[in-house]
Amino acid sequence: MEQNPAYSPTRLPLPFPSGFEAEERISYRGPMGDDTWAAGLADRFADAYGTVKGYVRTYVMHQQQLEHLPPPPASVLDVGGGAGHQSFPLAEAGYDVTLLDPSPAMLDKARRRLEGLPDEVRRRVTLVEADGEHADRAVNGRRFDAVLCHGVLGYVEQPEPLIDQLCRRAAPGGIVSIMTGNAETTAVRPALERRWDDALAAFDARTGVGVLGVEARADTVEELSELLRGRGVEPVRWYGVWLFADWLEFGGAELDPADTKQLAAMAAVELEASRRDPYRRLSRVFHLVGRKGGGS
């Protein structure tokens, strides 16, 4: 597949496109119809949209994805995509987006956000209510040029069934893009918040509490890479996501999202750090991109 020619490592659009907002996922625990987000968490999700940390995350991941996505109008499946904060910018760029999420509350937010987008963008977006473990049935077996799953994996009890679906929904030569918590940095947040006993215990922990107060499992790049390889998807690159913005926030610094000059400068530094060791290994979240083999 041809790499997206629109990628430019120096491109820092400000103000950000309409989809560049923060996101934290907690769904996928419990059966369909048991909508955790309906209990007010969707509103807390919305409150985080305009934060510096949210802008940094969505901007950095968008740039990382553009390094691997084929040109539009390639098809994209966003599994656990919430209100579309990562995939709607792709629809704005010309991609054909299917957003799949089990939460009616989050899908309602997605619909309301779509109402504010141009008609040609809305026509490129399909919303589907289903959980990721049943993606094949929900999309009638369709395969996609890119399958995204960002901020979801840590909230499922067993990751394998969801990873099975992500890899099966990718077309031959398509990409699988997963963002999840970094098990190598679980002590960072409690340490920066000066919770020293928690930080000491976190060195040997595989779970942590996210910003919405929900416990999630963390993964390692190596373990997740092996899970992908076993399903015919070869990892091609991984990145860090949150580093300096994360540390500043948890250290008590006040970051102003209205300071666009500072925001652009921070985003540029975060993007560069996301590609380099040792910085990417120190990120609290990582982003792994793999490519499906051409056989099946």
Side-chain angles (χ1 to χ4, degrees), residues 110-266:
R111 291 186 186 95
R112 281 182 277 167
R113 292 187 67 239
L114 274 176
E115 291 173 359
L117 297 178
D119 289 344
E120 65 269 19
V121 176
R122 292 201 299 269
R123 285 194 292 267
R124 289 194 288 265
V125 177
T126 301
L127 303 181
V128 178
E129 183 180 334
D131 60 55
E133 291 92 335
H134 300 97
D136 52 358
R137 185 171 60 199
V139 299
N140 298 315
R142 181 184 176 190
R143 294 188 176 187
F144 295 80
D145 298 313
V147 178
L148 318 181
C149 187
H150 300 154
V152 175
L153 193 64
Y155 298 105
V156 297
E157 298 292 347
Q158 298 294 330
E160 289 83 1
L162 179 55
I163 294 174
D164 283 343
Q165 289 291 302
L166 301 178
C167 295
R168 289 171 60 184
R169 291 307 96 222
I175 71 164
V176 176
S177 170
I178 301 175
M179 187 278 286
T180 191
N182 184 1
E184 295 183 349
T185 59
T186 52
V188 169
R189 179 177 181 175
L192 292 175
E193 293 177 339
R194 303 179 189 181
R195 294 185 284 112
W196 303 117
D197 289 343
D198 292 340
L200 192 61
F203 283 110
D204 297 314
R206 292 298 298 265
T207 60
V209 177
V211 296
L212 292 182
V214 178
E215 187 176 85
R217 188 195 68 258
D219 298 281
T220 70
V221 173
E222 293 75 17
E223 291 167 350
L224 186 53
S225 294
E226 284 306 306
L227 289 175
L228 292 183
R229 286 192 185 98
R231 292 158 176 81
V233 174
E234 182 61 28
V236 294
R237 193 164 187 185
W238 73 273
Y239 309 85
V241 178
W242 278 327
L243 183 60
F244 304 115
D246 218 38
W247 292 1
L248 285 167
E249 179 183 277
F250 291 135
E254 293 188 8
L255 306 176
D256 182 7
D259 186 346
T260 56
K261 183 177 180 180
Q262 181 80 2
L263 186 56
M266 178 180 289

Side-chain angles (χ1 to χ4, degrees), residues 12-24:
L12 292 167
L14 284 172
F16 287 97
S18 59
F20 279 76
E21 300 162 4
E23 177 181 6
E24 182 82 6

